[in-house]
């Protein structure tokens, strides 16, 4: 195909919309069947992934053909994540209004470093920033950066902390770097999320330098074991332990930090949203006393993926930390999104965040968050009635399950995964193997929970039979 022919074809594709109607049909078929299909791909489907293995094609492939391939071999090898019975990691579902907004956003294809590159993205980032402040009850000085996920959110929050702590000592980290810089202390509970450690490593602060603090049996930092704080210290706290779902006692710990002018970052990837539920917001009491927070839209809020947020009450520190030079801080009249993120080019992820929050409103977010908790409590109740052990206090959306012994737990989990009626991962909790349930999708119904519990029961039966022989 010549360049002219290729261009002509692409123009035609934009004009006649055929390929978009084609994927619309695929997407709708997917949506119509996903609730009833196996949650994890079948072995045969996985083997079909070999159809994607080829060397780089020399010539153009018709769009209809490659889309057909994607649907034929790709759709069956997705995780049925939007189906209501996927309980792995902390993977949120997707709210239709947010998904629809994403489709429109895809056609817009905006790049969002500056107001000038996308006025709509700038406007929506501005309004969503305000909404997040209001939802989480954070200080008026709090600004937001829209990043890919909480991993990046933590990195940005800690970069701001590093900037501020050193700046107070007349040390400009951007110019002078960390070599020979004054020491920054880092204090964390022993159950910090792996991405917190990654951020510390990336920022050159060194995982070995962390002053670890013991946690209680739910993974919460023990406040009176926190060593003396000072203004050169970063204290890392957690809203939502990735296993137990527990929350540190922010009122107490942030209060201590505030008195000593230490910087507090709260990793609230999925848990920060508890602040939006009238019945659960006791868990987040005191978060407003921290300095920076990281949270995901794509977990508890059920936005599409690629929707992380860093919040920081020290705009100057955040913006300065994320710039190449200190002098390049121009507070224009309109928001330039790149000032608040490490990236320059970014897609307009605030569009879906805006649509999802606008759709739900305060009340809808409360229902969503509390609904996840209720389904988790249902798991706790039905599984313990059936002789499973629940190893955590189910304060939010996480449930940790064990059978009579390690072997039985392992075999049961494997069998659950093989049945594909629901999907849970395994984890270690207080030194033992557990089955880890994370309720994270608005779709999950009481019936989904009961169906999943049935799978647990038949899986354990099989596990016991296989252990007897
Ligand atoms: C998921 C998670 C992260 C990482 O967030 P990403 O969006 O995957 O980058 C960090 N901390 C906790 C507690 C999490 O659950």
């Amino acid at each position: 195909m010549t360049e002219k022919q290729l261009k002509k074809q692409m123009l035609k594709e934009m004009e006649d919309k055929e390929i978009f109607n084609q994927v619309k049909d695929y997407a709708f078929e997917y949506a119509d069947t996903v609730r009833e299909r196996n949650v994890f791909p079948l072995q045969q489907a996985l083997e079909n992934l070999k159809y994607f293995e080829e060397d780089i094609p020399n010539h153009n492939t018709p769009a209809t053909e490659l889309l057909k391939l994607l649907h034929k071999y790709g759709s069956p090898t997705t995780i049925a994540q939007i189906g209501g019975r996927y309980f792995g990691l902390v993977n949120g579902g997707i709210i239709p209004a947010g998904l629809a907004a994403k489709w429109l956003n895809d056609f817009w294809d905006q790049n969002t470093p500056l107001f000038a590159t996308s006025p709509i993205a700038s406007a929506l980032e501005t309004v969503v920033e305000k909404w997040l402040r209001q939802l989480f009850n954070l200080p008026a000085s709090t600004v937001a950066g829209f990043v890919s996920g909480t991993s990046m959110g933590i990195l940005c929050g800690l970069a701001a902390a590093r900037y501020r702590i050193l700046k107070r000592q007349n040390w400009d980290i951007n110019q002078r770097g960390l070599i020979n810089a004054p020491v920054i202390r880092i204090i964390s509970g022993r159950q910090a999320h792996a991405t917190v450690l990654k951020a510390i490593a990336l920022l050159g602060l060194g995982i070995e330098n962390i002053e670890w603090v013991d946690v209680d049996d739910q993974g919460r930092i023990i406040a009176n074991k926190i060593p003396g704080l000072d203004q050169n210290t970063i204290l890392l706290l957690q809203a939502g332990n990735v296993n137990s779902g527990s929350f540190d006692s922010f009122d107490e710990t942030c209060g201590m930090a505030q008195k000593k002018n230490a910087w507090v970052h709260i990793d609230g990837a999925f848990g920060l949203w508890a602040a939006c539920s009238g019945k659960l917001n006791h868990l987040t009491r005191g978060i407003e006393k921290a300095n920076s927070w990281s949270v995901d839209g794509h977990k508890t809020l059920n936005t599409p993926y690629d929707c992380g947020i860093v919040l920081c009450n020290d705009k100057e520190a955040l913006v300065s930390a994320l710039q190449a030079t200190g002098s390049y801080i121009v507070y224009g009249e309109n928001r330039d999104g790149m000032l608040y993120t490490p990236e320059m080019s970014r897609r307009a992820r605030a569009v879906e965040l805006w649509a999802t929050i606008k759709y739900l409103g305060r009340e809808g977010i409360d229902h969503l968050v509390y609904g996840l908790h209720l389904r988790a409590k249902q798991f706790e109740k039905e599984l313990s009635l059936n002789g499973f052990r629940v190893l955590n206090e189910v304060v939010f959306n996480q449930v940790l399950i064990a059978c009579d012994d390690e072997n039985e737990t392992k075999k049961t989990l494997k069998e659950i995964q093989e049945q594909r009626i629901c999907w849970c991962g395994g984890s270690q909790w207080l030194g033992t193997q557990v089955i880890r349930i994370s309720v994270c999708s608005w779709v999950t119904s009481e019936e989904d929970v009961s169906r999943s519990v049935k799978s647990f029961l038949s899986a354990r039966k099989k596990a016991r039979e296989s252990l007897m022989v």
Side-chain angles (χ1 to χ4, degrees), residues 137-153:
N137 239 323
L138 300 179
S141 60
T142 306
V143 294
F146 298 93
V147 292
S148 53
T150 290
S151 303
M152 278 309 263

PDB file of all heavy atoms in Angstrom, residues 137-153:
ATOM      1  N   ASN A 137     -12.594  16.059  52.795  1.00  0.00           N
ATOM      2  CA  ASN A 137     -12.513  17.054  53.854  1.00  0.00           C
ATOM      3  C   ASN A 137     -11.083  17.524  54.112  1.00  0.00           C
ATOM      4  O   ASN A 137     -10.635  17.557  55.256  1.00  0.00           O
ATOM      5  CB  ASN A 137     -13.056  16.454  55.149  1.00  0.00           C
ATOM      6  CG  ASN A 137     -14.220  17.272  55.629  1.00  0.00           C
ATOM      7  OD1 ASN A 137     -14.204  18.510  55.482  1.00  0.00           O
ATOM      8  ND2 ASN A 137     -15.217  16.612  56.172  1.00  0.00           N
ATOM      9  N   LEU A 138     -10.382  17.873  53.066  1.00  0.00           N
ATOM     10  CA  LEU A 138      -8.978  18.259  53.202  1.00  0.00           C
ATOM     11  C   LEU A 138      -8.860  19.789  53.229  1.00  0.00           C
ATOM     12  O   LEU A 138      -9.763  20.491  52.789  1.00  0.00           O
ATOM     13  CB  LEU A 138      -8.160  17.662  52.049  1.00  0.00           C
ATOM     14  CG  LEU A 138      -8.188  16.134  51.990  1.00  0.00           C
ATOM     15  CD1 LEU A 138      -7.369  15.619  50.813  1.00  0.00           C
ATOM     16  CD2 LEU A 138      -7.698  15.506  53.296  1.00  0.00           C
ATOM     17  N   PRO A 139      -7.734  20.295  53.740  1.00  0.00           N
ATOM     18  CA  PRO A 139      -7.560  21.742  53.857  1.00  0.00           C
ATOM     19  C   PRO A 139      -7.708  22.463  52.513  1.00  0.00           C
ATOM     20  O   PRO A 139      -7.428  21.884  51.457  1.00  0.00           O
ATOM     21  CB  PRO A 139      -6.130  21.902  54.371  1.00  0.00           C
ATOM     22  CG  PRO A 139      -5.748  20.586  54.921  1.00  0.00           C
ATOM     23  CD  PRO A 139      -6.575  19.549  54.249  1.00  0.00           C
ATOM     24  N   ALA A 140      -8.111  23.715  52.572  1.00  0.00           N
ATOM     25  CA  ALA A 140      -8.346  24.512  51.361  1.00  0.00           C
ATOM     26  C   ALA A 140      -7.078  24.652  50.526  1.00  0.00           C
ATOM     27  O   ALA A 140      -7.142  24.865  49.314  1.00  0.00           O
ATOM     28  CB  ALA A 140      -8.874  25.888  51.752  1.00  0.00           C
ATOM     29  N   SER A 141      -5.918  24.507  51.156  1.00  0.00           N
ATOM     30  CA  SER A 141      -4.655  24.670  50.422  1.00  0.00           C
ATOM     31  C   SER A 141      -4.294  23.434  49.598  1.00  0.00           C
ATOM     32  O   SER A 141      -3.303  23.440  48.872  1.00  0.00           O
ATOM     33  CB  SER A 141      -3.521  24.949  51.417  1.00  0.00           C
ATOM     34  OG  SER A 141      -3.399  23.859  52.316  1.00  0.00           O
ATOM     35  N   THR A 142      -5.098  22.375  49.696  1.00  0.00           N
ATOM     36  CA  THR A 142      -4.733  21.105  49.050  1.00  0.00           C
ATOM     37  C   THR A 142      -4.890  21.168  47.533  1.00  0.00           C
ATOM     38  O   THR A 142      -5.925  21.578  47.024  1.00  0.00           O
ATOM     39  CB  THR A 142      -5.610  19.961  49.604  1.00  0.00           C
ATOM     40  OG1 THR A 142      -5.492  19.958  51.025  1.00  0.00           O
ATOM     41  CG2 THR A 142      -5.168  18.614  49.040  1.00  0.00           C
ATOM     42  N   VAL A 143      -3.854  20.733  46.838  1.00  0.00           N
ATOM     43  CA  VAL A 143      -3.908  20.646  45.375  1.00  0.00           C
ATOM     44  C   VAL A 143      -3.824  19.173  44.955  1.00  0.00           C
ATOM     45  O   VAL A 143      -3.428  18.318  45.745  1.00  0.00           O
ATOM     46  CB  VAL A 143      -2.771  21.444  44.703  1.00  0.00           C
ATOM     47  CG1 VAL A 143      -2.945  22.929  44.947  1.00  0.00           C
ATOM     48  CG2 VAL A 143      -1.398  20.956  45.172  1.00  0.00           C
ATOM     49  N   ALA A 144      -4.209  18.901  43.714  1.00  0.00           N
ATOM     50  CA  ALA A 144      -4.221  17.524  43.221  1.00  0.00           C
ATOM     51  C   ALA A 144      -3.422  17.408  41.939  1.00  0.00           C
ATOM     52  O   ALA A 144      -3.458  18.292  41.088  1.00  0.00           O
ATOM     53  CB  ALA A 144      -5.665  17.065  42.974  1.00  0.00           C
ATOM     54  N   GLY A 145      -2.703  16.290  41.803  1.00  0.00           N
ATOM     55  CA  GLY A 145      -2.058  15.938  40.543  1.00  0.00           C
ATOM     56  C   GLY A 145      -2.695  14.652  40.043  1.00  0.00           C
ATOM     57  O   GLY A 145      -2.931  13.734  40.831  1.00  0.00           O
ATOM     58  N   PHE A 146      -2.990  14.604  38.747  1.00  0.00           N
ATOM     59  CA  PHE A 146      -3.676  13.436  38.194  1.00  0.00           C
ATOM     60  C   PHE A 146      -2.664  12.549  37.488  1.00  0.00           C
ATOM     61  O   PHE A 146      -2.143  12.898  36.430  1.00  0.00           O
ATOM     62  CB  PHE A 146      -4.826  13.893  37.297  1.00  0.00           C
ATOM     63  CG  PHE A 146      -5.836  14.671  38.088  1.00  0.00           C
ATOM     64  CD1 PHE A 146      -5.768  16.062  38.164  1.00  0.00           C
ATOM     65  CD2 PHE A 146      -6.810  14.015  38.829  1.00  0.00           C
ATOM     66  CE1 PHE A 146      -6.660  16.782  38.950  1.00  0.00           C
ATOM     67  CE2 PHE A 146      -7.711  14.731  39.615  1.00  0.00           C
ATOM     68  CZ  PHE A 146      -7.633  16.115  39.666  1.00  0.00           C
ATOM     69  N   VAL A 147      -2.378  11.424  38.131  1.00  0.00           N
ATOM     70  CA  VAL A 147      -1.297  10.533  37.698  1.00  0.00           C
ATOM     71  C   VAL A 147      -1.869   9.167  37.333  1.00  0.00           C
ATOM     72  O   VAL A 147      -3.082   8.965  37.376  1.00  0.00           O
ATOM     73  CB  VAL A 147      -0.218  10.417  38.806  1.00  0.00           C
ATOM     74  CG1 VAL A 147       0.506  11.745  38.984  1.00  0.00           C
ATOM     75  CG2 VAL A 147      -0.828   9.968  40.129  1.00  0.00           C
ATOM     76  N   SER A 148      -0.976   8.234  36.998  1.00  0.00           N
ATOM     77  CA  SER A 148      -1.457   6.941  36.496  1.00  0.00           C
ATOM     78  C   SER A 148      -2.095   6.080  37.578  1.00  0.00           C
ATOM     79  O   SER A 148      -3.043   5.351  37.320  1.00  0.00           O
ATOM     80  CB  SER A 148      -0.295   6.186  35.863  1.00  0.00           C
ATOM     81  OG  SER A 148       0.778   6.109  36.778  1.00  0.00           O
ATOM     82  N   GLY A 149      -1.548   6.151  38.786  1.00  0.00           N
ATOM     83  CA  GLY A 149      -2.051   5.313  39.862  1.00  0.00           C
ATOM     84  C   GLY A 149      -1.450   5.752  41.179  1.00  0.00           C
ATOM     85  O   GLY A 149      -0.694   6.730  41.246  1.00  0.00           O
ATOM     86  N   THR A 150      -1.765   4.998  42.230  1.00  0.00           N
ATOM     87  CA  THR A 150      -1.257   5.365  43.550  1.00  0.00           C
ATOM     88  C   THR A 150       0.264   5.230  43.632  1.00  0.00           C
ATOM     89  O   THR A 150       0.909   5.991  44.354  1.00  0.00           O
ATOM     90  CB  THR A 150      -1.962   4.535  44.632  1.00  0.00           C
ATOM     91  OG1 THR A 150      -3.316   4.976  44.721  1.00  0.00           O
ATOM     92  CG2 THR A 150      -1.313   4.696  45.980  1.00  0.00           C
ATOM     93  N   SER A 151       0.841   4.289  42.888  1.00  0.00           N
ATOM     94  CA  SER A 151       2.309   4.182  42.896  1.00  0.00           C
ATOM     95  C   SER A 151       2.921   5.541  42.584  1.00  0.00           C
ATOM     96  O   SER A 151       3.844   6.008  43.268  1.00  0.00           O
ATOM     97  CB  SER A 151       2.792   3.185  41.843  1.00  0.00           C
ATOM     98  OG  SER A 151       2.217   1.932  42.031  1.00  0.00           O
ATOM     99  N   MET A 152       2.426   6.170  41.534  1.00  0.00           N
ATOM    100  CA  MET A 152       2.933   7.483  41.149  1.00  0.00           C
ATOM    101  C   MET A 152       2.502   8.544  42.171  1.00  0.00           C
ATOM    102  O   MET A 152       3.234   9.501  42.419  1.00  0.00           O
ATOM    103  CB  MET A 152       2.411   7.873  39.766  1.00  0.00           C
ATOM    104  CG  MET A 152       3.190   7.267  38.648  1.00  0.00           C
ATOM    105  SD  MET A 152       4.947   7.549  38.834  1.00  0.00           S
ATOM    106  CE  MET A 152       5.158   8.938  37.797  1.00  0.00           C
ATOM    107  N   GLY A 153       1.312   8.373  42.720  1.00  0.00           N
ATOM    108  CA  GLY A 153       0.824   9.312  43.732  1.00  0.00           C
ATOM    109  C   GLY A 153       1.756   9.350  44.945  1.00  0.00           C
ATOM    110  O   GLY A 153       2.091  10.416  45.469  1.00  0.00           O
TER     111      GLY A 153
END
